[in-house]
Structure formats: structure tokens, C-alpha cells
Amino acid sequence: MHAISAETRATVDEVLDYARRRAVYEDVPLDKPLTPRDLSRLASGSITADGIGARRATALFENVLAPACVTTDHPAYLSFIPSAPTKAAIAFDLVVSASSVYGGSWMEGSGAVFAENEVLHWLAAEFGLPAGAGGVFMQGGTIGNLSALVTARDAARRRNRELGRPDPARWVVVGSAEAHSSIASAAAVMDVDVAKVPTGDDGRLHGDALVPVLDAHGDAVFAVVATGGTTNFGIVDDIASIADVTSERGVWLHVDGAYGLAAMLVERMRPAFAGVERADSLIVDPHKWLFAPFDACALLYREPDKALLAHTQHAEYLDTLTGSADWNPSDLGIQLTRRARGLPLWFSLATHGTEMYRSAIAYGIDLAREIADEIEARPGLSLVRDPQLSVVVFRRDGWTLADYAAWSDRLLEDQQGFVVPSSHRGEPVLRFAIISPLTTFELLTGILDTLV
């Protein structure tokens, strides 16, 4: 299996040939899931004592397994938060795997870590963080948020030790009622409580709403989470007023910008994110609106040394790594073994330049506004809220959840789009999440035409 032979060369050629076809295919189908029964009938029996060979295995994936997966980078994939990696990023992801680079330490992967840090330092500067800021590429937003909150709690514990103050019986993290589900998930893993703050009529968390919650929980609060673009609506919290409150009280401010923070790369959108520069930590997911492949979350700290204290693992066989010339990525988050998942983004940025990224993000924002206006002009359709970023939430008047679900199923069956129902305050709604620069106004209006 490991030798360089005619068989292994043929295997590599077979896989790379399929990868090339898939990467440059101009009309990738949207595809749809199959039932467990269908997949059992069509795909069972691939694991055998002697193997089925690369050609048959590749054909099985290409013709059965891949078509049973909805294509997340398809222009008509408009549910959840899509992915739209550049061709350069997709291609370089193959290089990352082929190179067997270990991205956890400077000693073993200094070239890869340096390139990743180039991207992280650029992002930190774009978000207004100070020169000493830095971080690491994590698996995704859930792990990034968890790592940041672990760092925040560790910092609070250390502060208590310095002040000779006991820790609370239960730690508390505070966020809005609209915060991503990963915050509650992180809190459950950490065995801490979550205090949810109601948002205003605008859907945003404001600093004044934090005050009574912080008063109620006192020193038990180790972090406040602001959201830089909610998943359901793309709403940005009033981060500046939140930062005023957390700064005054000495509470860690974390900004979950997994989806929306990339919009800061568009100059006219920067005022919406005022206050991000005051965050102690933040995340943004390149596999969302920065056009990288799954899976990549950029986790940034104002003071990376605090993360090193919280996350550096110590063992006899690891001690040789702690004296590195630069920090080790594995010391900044919940991980040890890691692939250099930031390299595909680095390669795409280096290839295309940052201005193309700004233009591609701006396109999604402009298209959201254009299709929102179209929805408002159509009888029987209405917006639930004006879009702030690239998520458009709307309703078909008089429809129930069952109506939306049946329509969504037909849309996918016809391979016209992937738009699943969502909800807002108990009301079933629809939403377009626009990420791909290949999504067009005509494609979206074609989907609206089916809402009859």
C-alpha cells in the first residue's frame, strides 16, 4: 500500500483525475440525499478482504456516494450557511493532504505555520486588533468558540488567584438569545451556565441590556459573547456598546463572527462592526464567507499569551516543542494533532489578492439587497426583516410549515434549489443565505417564481 509501484501510481492517478474533473466541472449537480435503504442496496459491500481496487472504489464514490450528498458550493444551495471555495483553495487542499504537513508545532511545520500566520495577522489587522494579536486555524466555529471560552475562564481563574479571591460555585457565560447554538454547546462541555439576554426589536444585543444580567451574576461571569452576524438573520450585535460594558467591568469579550465578520473586509460595512477591535477574542470561519474548503475557523486573540497559558499541553515527549521560535498552533486551542487547514486560504489569497475577496463579499451583500427588494415587490411575499448582510428572511403569506416543507422537497427534487424552512418567534419562514459569487439574481427569482 505504501510502496511506489505501478499499482499505487495508478491509484493516485485515478483519484487525482476524478478530483480534477470535479474541481473544474462547470455544471455540478445540486444532488440530494438517498435513504439508508437505497444506499445499502447501491453501495454495500465495498469493504472486502482483498479490496475492490481504486477504479471501482472511485466509480462507486463518483456515481453513487457523491450524488447522495447535497453540493454545498452549488449556486442554488441557499440553506444554513453555504460554502463556496475558490478553485485555487480547492486545488491547494489536495497539496496540503499530499504533503503530509503536521501543522501543530513550529518545529515540525514552521513553513506552513508561517504562511497560516500571514493570513491570521492580515485578518487581525482588518478587524482592528493590535499588532501583537494572533491565533490559530481551528476545525470550525464550535471548536473555535469553545477554545476561546476556555481561555476566558482560565484568565478569570488566574485573576482570582492573583486577587486571593475564590472561584464562584458556577461560572457563567453571557450572550444574546440569538447567539449561535455552539455557545450553549461549549458551555455544556465546560460545565458552566449560560445567561441569555433578550435582544431589542432590531434583533441586536445592546450593552444596556447586559447590565442587569451582569449585576445579577456578578463575578461569576467570565465572558460575554457578542455575535457578528447571526446565522438565521445575519444580524450584527451592537458590539461597541457591549464593549463599553465589558471593558468597564473587566469581563472578557468574545465575538462570534463565524459567518458575518468577513463582511468587515468591505469598507462600507465596517461601521456595522464597530467595537470588534476591542474584543479579547474572536472567530471567523473561512469555509463560509472567505471561500475556503471545509473545515477552517480562524480564532484570534488580542493577547495570545493568555491562550498559551490555557491550552499548552505538557508531557515529557512534548517538552521539546515548547521552546520554539514562535508559538505552536496546538498551544492556542483545544487540539494537538492538526492539519494545516489555513493553507488553502493562504494560497487562494496569495494567488488572487485581497481586493478580489472584498469584491466577492460585496457581491453577496448587494445581491441580498436586490432580491429583498424583489420579494417586497411581489404579491404574497413579504420580508421578515431587512437584510443587513447576505441573509434574506421572508415568508409566503398564508403558508404553514407543512406547505414550506412540501415546497422545499419539490424544489430539491427538481434540482432547482436547496432552500429549507427556518423559523422566527414561532413562525415558519424561508431564508436565502447568499455566499457564492455564482449565485445570480435570475437564479433567485426563478426560485421565487415557484412560490405559488
Side-chain angles (χ1 to χ4, degrees):
M1 294 187 296
H2 297 84
I4 303 301
S5 65
E7 182 180 0
T8 56
R9 288 180 187 275
T11 296
V12 171
D13 288 344
E14 188 75 37
V15 172
L16 292 182
D17 182 57
Y18 168 69
R20 186 185 186 284
R21 292 197 311 275
R22 175 59 179 83
V24 300
Y25 194 37
E26 293 184 0
D27 191 23
V28 176
L30 187 56
D31 287 327
K32 59 185 179 181
L34 294 179
T35 66
R37 182 176 180 178
D38 285 339
L39 282 171
S40 180
R41 176 174 54 85
L42 295 170
S44 289
S46 60
I47 307 303
T48 66
D50 298 320
I52 63 173
R55 184 178 294 276
R56 284 184 61 193
T58 302
L60 178 62
F61 182 79
E62 181 174 5
N63 298 315
V64 179
L65 301 176
C69 303
V70 181
T71 305
T72 62
D73 63 346
H74 193 282
Y77 184 107
L78 300 161
S79 293
F80 312 114
I81 299 294
S83 176
T86 67
K87 300 305 181 187
I90 291 171
F92 207 77
D93 204 32
L94 294 175
V95 174
V96 174
S97 294
S99 300
S100 296
V101 171
Y102 173 65
S105 73
W106 182 267
M107 175 184 287
E108 296 161 282
S110 61
V113 174
F114 180 86
E116 288 186 318
N117 285 345
E118 288 280 282
V119 179
L120 292 167
H121 293 152
W122 171 69
L123 287 172
E126 290 289 328
F127 301 148
L129 295 178
V136 58
F137 285 98
M138 305 293 294
Q139 179 186 10
T142 296
I143 303 300
N145 283 332
L146 175 60
S147 297
L149 292 177
V150 166
T151 301
R153 183 178 61 179
D154 183 76
R157 283 173 169 167
R158 292 176 186 276
R159 184 170 62 247
N160 281 349
R161 299 292 83 75
E162 293 171 2
L163 297 174
R165 194 167 61 191
D167 289 340
R170 297 284 297 176
W171 289 103
V172 177
V173 57
V174 177
S176 86
E178 301 294 329
H180 191 266
S181 58
S182 62
I183 302 303
S185 175
V189 170
M190 296 171 67
D191 193 25
V192 302
D193 294 332
V194 178
K196 295 185 178 181
V197 185
T199 59
D201 291 337
D202 57 2
R204 306 172 72 198
L205 175 62
H206 296 271
D208 57 0
L210 277 177
V211 173
V213 178
L214 295 182
D215 287 343
H217 294 282
D219 292 336
V221 177
F222 68 91
V224 170
V225 179
T227 304
T230 58
T231 301
N232 207 28
F233 276 92
I235 294 172
V236 181
D237 284 342
D238 183 3
I239 301 172
S241 71
I242 295 170
D244 287 341
V245 175
T246 57
S247 177
E248 179 183 351
R249 300 190 177 222
V251 176
W252 186 284
L253 173 59
H254 175 65
V255 176
D256 176 4
Y259 151 59
L261 196 53
M264 271 195 78
L265 299 180
V266 179
E267 184 66 31
R268 71 176 188 271
M269 297 302 299
R270 289 181 184 270
F273 296 89
V276 164
E277 72 281 356
R278 300 164 65 184
D280 295 290
S281 59
L282 60 83
I283 65 162
V284 62
D285 287 358
H287 63 232
K288 292 185 172 76
W289 217 359
L290 287 173
F291 314 117
F294 295 120
D295 44 14
C297 164
L299 166 60
L300 291 169
Y301 297 100
R302 171 177 293 275
E303 299 178 63
D305 286 349
K306 293 182 177 180
L308 296 175
L309 290 172
H311 291 290
T312 299
Q313 296 186 31
H314 297 282
E316 291 178 349
Y317 72 98
L318 295 176
D319 288 345
T320 187
L321 301 177
T322 59
S324 299
D326 203 343
W327 59 57
N328 298 313
S330 60
D331 295 337
L332 296 173
I334 298 171
Q335 60 189 352
L336 183 59
T337 302
R338 71 177 290 271
R339 74 192 303 264
R341 54 175 39 88
L343 286 183
L345 176 58
W346 164 79
F347 182 76
S348 186
L349 279 167
T351 298
H352 297 297
T354 58
E355 290 307 306
M356 291 192 72
Y357 271 72
R358 298 186 204 279
S359 297
I361 295 168
Y363 173 83
I365 297 169
D366 293 340
L367 181 56
R369 179 68 266 170
E370 188 178 9
I371 199 63
D373 291 341
E374 175 69 16
I375 289 168
E376 283 285 78
R378 290 194 175 210
L381 301 182
S382 58
L383 289 177
V384 177
R385 192 187 301 277
D386 271 337
Q388 186 177 12
L389 301 178
S390 68
V391 174
V392 183
V393 182
F394 60 103
R395 61 175 67 85
R396 170 67 165 84
D397 297 342
W399 274 21
T400 65
L401 179 58
D403 294 324
Y404 286 122
W407 170 84
S408 176
D409 291 344
R410 289 195 303 272
L411 196 72
L412 183 59
E413 183 65 31
D414 295 341
Q415 292 289 280
Q416 191 168 350
F418 183 59
V419 184
V420 299
S422 183
S423 65
H424 174 60
R425 297 178 179 173
E427 177 192 8
V429 295
L430 293 176
R431 60 189 286 279
F432 289 155
I434 302 168
I435 293 293
S436 175
L438 300 179
T439 301
T440 64
F441 180 73
E442 291 73 24
L443 184 153
L444 296 177
T445 55
I447 291 174
L448 294 181
D449 289 342
T450 67
L451 286 166
V452 294

